[in-house]
Amino acid sequence: MQRSVSVVEGMPMEPAANDKKSRRSSCPPGSGQESTVFVKRPPYTQVAFDNLNLKEGEPDNRSLGTKLRNKCDCSAKCVFKQLSTFLPIIKVLRYYNFKENLLVDVLSGITIGILHIPQALAFGLLTSVKVENGLYTSVWPVILYVFFGTSAHVSMGTSAVICIVTASVVDRQAEMFKDLNPHLMTGGNGTSNSTFETWEDIPEFMDYKENVAINIALSAGLIMMLMGCFRLGFVTAYLSESFFSAFTSGAAVHIATSQIPALLGIKTPRFGGVFKIIYTYEAIFGKIHEMQPTTPIIAVISIVILFFVKECINERFKHKLFIPIPVELLVVILATVLSFAIGFDEEAVADEDKVFHVAVVGQLTSSFPAPVFPDLTGIQNYIIDSFVIAILIFANTIAMAKICAKKHNYEIDDSQELIAYGMCNFLSAFMLCFPSAVAPPRSMVASTMNTKTTFTGVFVTILMLLVILVISALFKPLPKAALAAIIVVALKGLFVQMMDCRKFWKVNKFDFIIWFFTIFSVVFLDIDLGLGIGVVVSLVTVVFQTQFSRGYRLAVTSNEGIMVESNKYRNTREIPGVKIFRFQSNLYFANAEIFRNTLYNRTINPRKYLKMLQKQKKRDEKAGIEKNGDVTSSYVSPSTKATDMKHDMQSISLDSNGKDIRQKKESVVSNISNTSADNPAFSVSEENLVPVGNGKFNGTPSHNFLTISNYPLPSRRFSVASSISMMTELEIDPVDGNEVVSDEWLERAKKIHHIIIDCSTMNYLDISGASVLSHIYAEYQHVNITVFLAGCSADIRNTMEHAGVFDKIPKDNFFIDLEDAISIAKNMAVQPVPINLADFSDDEAAEDSYITRM
């Protein structure tokens, strides 16, 4: 057994005379010379290769008790490892470097805490609950992530997309509350209750919405913890980039729409359900005449300041600024001071000249409530929404965590992150927090400041505690229009993201379909419905893409001897008698029939071939040509076939100059050295070639030697155009309406003796795919065409073994690589057409065995 490699240098590759374009060098840039690699080795079947090289797994003779004892090791090292895995803060504190990390973590914590303040105030309103719930959500999830999280840069807390999705569920449940409790607004006697102007002024109504929000956080957190325990983080892989782009952009439309009343200074009811965005704009235009100029002016000034600082200063000079200017907090402070000085408080009635009818935040709590257990009544109505929110929280947060981990060169544990996000939501629900997730702007600031550890969350929490306990009362005169401006400006990236539709259209039409249906459904139907429709469309497109899996025939380029798709490249030739097929997809139940049909259309259909042979025989019998009851004159006799085989072998053994290579007695090394890219060699030594009568290769690697530089260029040119014409549709027979027998079609079909299926692009096979391969082999065997399979992975072969494929397809028909199958198939004899032209048997026809058992 030997394998030799010879590298021949200094051999420039001249363009062929019929080439319009000269071939570019295949050498790496800067090499300065041409190199050609020739490999000489024996062709291997998969069995022969495995027998020689496959490692045998060492049996594990340990008893079950020994394995359990090893798992239950109670050494200090093992206990520390297990505890630090579940509570990463233990490892952080154990190895914390106060000298190098403390200052950076303190500065990062203060900076991120400053960003938390305006977002906590704004996103509390966005979630359709109380403002103080936003403050709580910026405290408890942050400190919980310090204990359970593994990313130093993930900033848990309020998140715009999660807030608006939560708000859609809260508003939907609020509509049900209104229907069940109309007396809260109308009064007990059915008349209008003048105490409250809107439902949001009713404490019982806001308490109910708060309870729904914390129930969602509770259930979503529990779902994420269970997913983390069972390592189910892979589910987000089924949601494509186009889906997330469309969903977040559609959510941005709803977020911006929900802030328009606050920007204009008008009051409109909050709608839920299908077409709520249409109803919202209808209500906005119906009350736009009530708009006071003061509120829009505040909103415009706030938006201008935010855009100017963000785009013209922070973005332009981000490489020179140690930290970005916290313009949101500056806007909050400025708006609060001006509101207090001018008297924007709409409740001030002492001086009518100072009543500007500007909506303000109002009184905020200056303390933390005691832990409460949520009222779980009605939670079954939105448990599915909680699952969806859990998936969104994990998908968005883990994506941000991986970006930061890659940038700063550290690893995160996906399963532990799932548990961390679950803990942040589940435990914080008892502290009146709504669902929390990562906020990309805060995380990017942490990344820019090069935050060292998760310990920075402690300083964020301290700052937020001071805000709530000490200065929250100062935010009472803060105009809601300023908070709405902060939310709308923060959506800039999501609106710009809508332009990704052009990329999706150019890259893959299925991506565009997912994007279009998702964003259309989210915007015009509802967020939760749009999300469901987007997921369904994503899964449906997977099925459709399976249906459009491509299969094609391979051929060899004339000059380079490279295996390429036959109908895409000019100057290609096919190997006489051999058809090579490649299918660019996994093979399973959804595309098994597509694989079979594509294979038959691109090569030769054995059913049509058999039918044509039967029809020709019947036609000849009617003409009285049958002789001796043996073989009709329309068939080629074995002797004739032997002559044709001899002619084929002679043509194969002729080189491009017409000389018989069998007469060349030079050594293999000499043959390799004298071969160039324009005079390729790819042959099996004929003195060692052992073609077997039944079309099988004996599988002994020491017998046949394969010399590979490029693929064969036989002297008898076999054009792709002529082989393709064989596959064209036949004319209709006016006698029976079926396809007419074509002698030319049959003669070309009779020259095909091998079909090679390249399985190197397949990495998955199920029982349906294994079954279709078995039946394809049987159908081709029925017309005396041998099927070879090349490049099957170990997993696919294992599936085949359990599916019984090897009971029908001999293992000697499986080759380690495509070149090995070609080297054997191209030199084997064309077998005579079978005398027995019977139809397929019941066993051959019954592919779906469950049908025959019913």
Side-chain angles (χ1 to χ4, degrees), residues 87-359:
L87 287 172
I89 187 63
I90 296 176
K91 189 174 182 180
V92 171
L93 294 176
R94 169 65 178 80
Y95 299 102
Y96 194 80
N97 190 325
F98 285 88
K99 184 177 180 180
E100 294 183 3
N101 300 341
L102 184 61
L103 180 61
V104 177
D105 285 346
V106 170
L107 293 177
S108 300
I110 294 174
T111 305
I112 296 169
I114 290 173
L115 296 178
H116 265 287
I117 296 171
Q119 293 179 354
L121 297 170
F123 292 163
L125 295 175
L126 179 61
T127 315
S128 191
V129 292
K130 305 170 187 177
V131 176
E132 50 262 36
N133 293 117
L135 292 171
Y136 302 152
T137 309
S138 295
V139 175
W140 299 114
V142 176
I143 193 64
L144 287 170
Y145 188 80
V146 172
F147 288 91
F148 298 101
T150 60
S151 174
H153 304 93
V154 164
S155 177
M156 292 295 290
T158 55
S159 175
V161 174
I162 301 302
C163 286
I164 194 62
V165 177
T166 304
S168 68
V169 182
V170 170
D171 290 335
R172 189 185 69 210
Q173 296 302 120
E175 292 299 317
M176 298 173 59
F177 181 86
K178 293 177 183 179
D179 296 337
L180 296 174
N181 301 277
H183 61 280
L184 295 177
M185 179 61 73
T186 60
N189 56 2
T191 61
S192 177
N193 187 348
S194 59
T195 305
F196 306 114
E197 293 184 10
T198 62
W199 278 94
E200 280 70 21
D201 298 329
I202 304 174
E204 292 88 343
F205 181 69
M206 295 304 295
D207 288 342
Y208 176 79
K209 295 173 75 174
E210 178 185 70
N211 186 73
V212 172
I214 64 178
N215 275 340
I216 295 172
L218 183 77
S219 52
L222 182 60
I223 290 169
M224 283 188 283
M225 287 192 294
L226 292 175
M227 290 175 62
C229 293
F230 291 103
R231 300 184 176 274
L232 300 179
F234 65 88
V235 296
T236 58
Y238 294 99
L239 303 178
S240 64
E241 179 185 349
S242 56
F243 166 79
F244 277 114
S245 175
F247 176 76
T248 53
S249 296
V253 174
H254 282 277
I255 295 171
T257 300
S258 68
Q259 301 307 304
I260 291 178
L263 293 172
L264 300 178
I266 59 178
K267 290 185 177 181
T268 59
R270 296 181 72 104
F271 298 94
V274 180
F275 304 124
K276 74 174 185 180
I277 196 168
I278 298 176
Y279 298 139
T280 301
Y281 277 106
E282 184 181 5
I284 291 172
F285 287 117
K287 290 193 174 185
I288 199 170
H289 63 278
E290 300 177 3
M291 179 182 63
Q292 298 293 327
T294 309
T295 301
I297 291 174
I298 296 172
V300 170
I301 293 175
S302 300
I303 291 174
V304 169
I305 294 174
L306 289 165
F307 263 115
F308 176 77
V309 176
K310 280 177 171 288
E311 301 299 323
C312 300
I313 299 178
N314 286 351
E315 183 63 27
R316 186 174 181 181
F317 300 102
K318 61 183 178 181
H319 299 295
K320 298 181 179 181
L321 295 173
F322 178 68
I323 60 172
I325 298 174
V327 62
E328 293 92 347
L329 182 61
L330 295 179
V331 168
V332 167
I333 295 173
L334 180 62
T336 303
V337 171
L338 290 177
S339 175
F340 178 77
I342 300 175
F344 283 163
D345 190 346
E346 61 180 353
E347 297 178 358
V349 294
D351 188 350
E352 293 294 334
D353 294 335
K354 290 187 178 181
V355 178
F356 293 94
H357 300 285
V358 175

Side-chain angles (χ1 to χ4, degrees), residues 22 40 46 111 123 178 210 254 405 443 459 474 507 565 668 691 706-707 738 798 800:
S22 61
K40 178 256 181 183
Q46 188 68 55
T111 305
F123 292 163
K178 293 177 183 179
E210 178 185 70
H254 282 277
S443 295
F459 306 105
L474 300 179
V507 173
E565 186 175 348
V668 173
L706 171 66
T707 305
N738 295 322
N798 185 57
M800 289 179 176

Side-chain angles (χ1 to χ4, degrees), residues 491-626:
L491 300 175
K492 177 211 166 195
L494 297 181
F495 283 116
V496 173
Q497 185 179 256
M498 290 184 181
M499 301 307 295
D500 287 347
C501 63
R502 297 180 299 179
K503 178 182 71 174
F504 297 136
W505 176 262
K506 293 178 181 178
V507 173
N508 191 316
K509 300 302 185 291
F510 287 108
D511 278 335
F512 179 81
I513 291 172
I514 295 172
W515 182 91
F516 176 79
F517 277 98
T518 302
I519 195 170
F520 183 87
S521 303
V522 169
V523 171
F524 292 103
L525 297 181
D526 197 3
I527 292 179
D528 50 356
L529 282 176
L531 190 146
I533 291 173
V535 171
V536 171
V537 172
S538 299
L539 297 178
V540 169
T541 55
V542 172
V543 176
F544 271 99
Q545 291 186 71
T546 300
Q547 304 304 306
F548 286 98
S549 302
R550 291 190 67 244
Y552 50 85
R553 226 168 46 247
L554 297 176
V556 182
T557 57
S558 302
N559 299 311
E560 293 85 2
I562 299 173
M563 191 67 70
V564 295
E565 186 175 348
S566 60
N567 61 348
K568 276 196 172 183
Y569 294 87
R570 63 174 183 265
N571 300 326
T572 58
R573 300 188 183 93
E574 292 189 309
I575 301 168
V578 179
K579 299 296 177 186
I580 307 168
F581 178 77
R582 176 178 291 165
F583 192 63
Q584 288 186 318
S585 176
N586 297 324
L587 186 56
Y588 59 110
F589 67 94
N591 65 357
E593 270 311 305
I594 297 172
F595 169 80
R596 187 211 306 265
N597 294 335
T598 308
L599 171 65
Y600 289 173
N601 290 334
R602 296 292 185 271
T603 57
I604 181 173
N605 190 330
R607 301 175 184 178
K608 181 187 290 187
Y609 185 23
L610 179 61
K611 186 176 182 180
M612 291 294 104
L613 291 172
Q614 291 173 337
K615 198 169 184 179
Q616 185 189 51
K617 180 180 180 181
K618 189 178 297 184
R619 183 190 64 183
D620 292 345
E621 286 176 348
K622 289 183 179 180
I625 308 179
E626 186 175 3

Side-chain angles (χ1 to χ4, degrees), residues 297-436:
I297 291 174
I298 296 172
V300 170
I301 293 175
S302 300
I303 291 174
V304 169
I305 294 174
L306 289 165
F307 263 115
F308 176 77
V309 176
K310 280 177 171 288
E311 301 299 323
C312 300
I313 299 178
N314 286 351
E315 183 63 27
R316 186 174 181 181
F317 300 102
K318 61 183 178 181
H319 299 295
K320 298 181 179 181
L321 295 173
F322 178 68
I323 60 172
I325 298 174
V327 62
E328 293 92 347
L329 182 61
L330 295 179
V331 168
V332 167
I333 295 173
L334 180 62
T336 303
V337 171
L338 290 177
S339 175
F340 178 77
I342 300 175
F344 283 163
D345 190 346
E346 61 180 353
E347 297 178 358
V349 294
D351 188 350
E352 293 294 334
D353 294 335
K354 290 187 178 181
V355 178
F356 293 94
H357 300 285
V358 175
V360 296
V361 171
Q363 187 65 45
L364 296 176
T365 181
S366 296
S367 61
F368 281 98
V372 297
F373 191 86
D375 181 6
L376 302 180
T377 303
I379 193 174
Q380 69 276 3
N381 295 330
Y382 44 89
I383 191 66
I384 301 300
D385 300 281
S386 300
F387 176 77
V388 171
I389 291 173
I391 296 298
L392 290 176
I393 290 173
F394 173 65
N396 291 330
T397 309
I398 198 66
M400 190 74 244
K402 288 182 177 179
I403 291 173
C404 295
K406 181 178 180 180
K407 180 178 178 181
H408 295 276
N409 195 27
Y410 64 89
E411 297 292 332
I412 58 173
D413 185 344
D414 289 11
S415 298
Q416 179 59 34
E417 283 292 294
L418 254 176
I419 294 175
Y421 308 152
M423 285 291 191
C424 290
N425 283 272
F426 179 78
L427 296 180
S428 64
F430 298 99
M431 304 303 296
L432 303 182
C433 299
F434 52 76
S436 58

